[in-house]
Structure formats: C-alpha cells, structure tokens
Amino acid sequence: MGIAGEEPIDKHHVKECPPSEDNDLLVIQVTDPHLRKEAEGKLLGMNTRSSLDAVLSLIHQNHLAPDVVLATGDLAQDGSIEAYRCFEEKTNSFDCPVYWFSGNHDNREAMSEVAGATDVLKKVVRMGTWQFIFLDSLLDGKVHGHLADTELSLLDEALSERPDLHSLISFHHHPIDIDCEWLDAIGLKNRDQLLEIVDKYSNVRCLVWGHIHQEVDALRKGVRLLATPSTCVQFLPKSKEFAVDTQAPGYRWLRLSPDGTINTGVERADHIEFQVDYSSKGY
C-alpha cells in the first residue's frame, strides 16, 4: 500500500490542467449507458443510444460550459468496440475533457483500443484546487466489484502527494449498502480497504459512483457519498429482488468550489416517454 514518503505517483497516470483557482468547477456525471454494438440495441426494452441522446441533449440545454464530464462505468453492455466508439462520438459534443473507467459490463481492452492516445482513461486529474481520482473496480467475470491493490495504492499515493487539493474519488461499484438487497450483494466487496484509506486523509470531499441505476446522496464522516441515475433504465430503490423503476434516465451535476464546498443535483429527461420492460426479472 502506498504511503506518504514513497515514490511519487506515476506521472503517466496524471493530468495537470489547472483553471483559475477563483472559479467553481462544474462536473457532469453520466453513468451506465449500456450501449451495444447495434444502433437499435436495447436494455430491458429501452433503446440505450436514444436514451443517452436524450440525456446528453438535456445536459447541453442546462449547462453551457462544464469543466469535466465523468463517465462512471458500464459504458457498454456487450463490451464491443462499436459501443465505445459510439460513446466517444456522442460525448465529443462537449468542449471539455471527458474521462471514462470500467464497470462490470465493460471490456478494458476494447475501451483502451478506442481511447488510443487520448486522455480519457487518465487516473488522476488535477484542476485548480481539486483533484479527481478514478479507480477501476471491475473484477473480470464478476458482477460485484473489487479494487486491486494497485488501485488502492494509487489512491493512497495520490491523496498523500497532494494534501493541499480537495479530492473527489470515483469508481463504478457502490461502497455502502443502500437498503436494496439484490444490489447490495453485488457492490464493492473490499469496501473496508477503500474506506480505511479515505479515512486517513482530511482532503477527501466526496465519493462518486454508478452501477445502482438510482440516486444516493449521503454523508459519512464528513465525506459526501453520491450515486447517480443511469442514462437508460432505472432500478427500484429499496427492492429485495430485481425490479425496474418508472423514473426517467438522468445525470448528476456537481459544482465544486475552491474552498471544497460541493453543490450537486440530479436532472432527469422526464419530458420524454421511454419504452421499458417492467416485467423483466434481470438484465
């Protein structure tokens, strides 16, 4: 495990892009689009490309100039090259950096091939008084998540290297139980290791994740805990077994102030009617 005083974090993983330190940062989170190779690909009856288009259109309508767009996993349902190329093309509409990482449905190799030499897979991004740390919780062949020792070491090193920066940590799987029995069985399995590191550092401001297709806004030891609706189908909160919710696709915005204050909210594309198979028993 990395600790203060060890070798600095690999600069290959770090992107420094400081804006004016006097300005808030506007971060947009989109998550779990579940795109497929086919343009007509669906998840539980919903065309996921169409629903992503609706959410992206809403973002452009509501936010003229975000500083960062964060895509928190399950970009593809089938792990196909075509799905990642589609996501890349659709998010090229933003004039700001867009960052990705893996969810349980994703394929790292395909993501890397599409990302190429761009910065979309950077692990640490530093802007003004903030740093963003992006972790990969994909455990190959499993639905639940796990952070490898290399990911935990990177987190520890990034936090210890820049204690002067407010830190937002993001990954795919939920690190807390959400009172939803079937989803809590497939969360982040080594959450205690993650939270042990988080608890060491006073500069951690929030944890942000996807995976659960629903909204969470909680507080743990002064750290904000945030989950976000999918850009496609939503899961019913507090359900014992798999169940689909009737709420519309959405996204999260976060306004990060230079003093570490966080304002955030969720917006949904509820002006559009989407087709969903509510009778499904899984996905």
Side-chain angles (χ1 to χ4, degrees), residues 35-42 47-49 78 80 82-83:
L35 301 178
R36 293 183 184 271
K37 178 179 181 178
E38 304 83 11
E40 296 303 314
K42 296 179 180 180
N47 183 302
T48 57
R49 295 194 184 196
D78 57 8
S80 66
E82 291 84 356

Side-chain angles (χ1 to χ4, degrees), residues 195-196 198-199 201 204-205 218-225:
L195 296 174
E196 181 181 358
V198 168
D199 290 346
Y201 297 98
V204 178
R205 298 288 172 259
L219 198 65
R220 177 189 176 275
K221 297 185 178 181
V223 176
R224 200 82 171 263
L225 306 177

Side-chain angles (χ1 to χ4, degrees), residues 4 66 111 116 120 160 181 197 215 230 241 245 274:
M111 290 180 81
V120 299
S160 65
E181 190 171 322
I197 296 172
E215 178 182 358
S230 166
E241 299 176 343
D245 199 3
F274 297 93

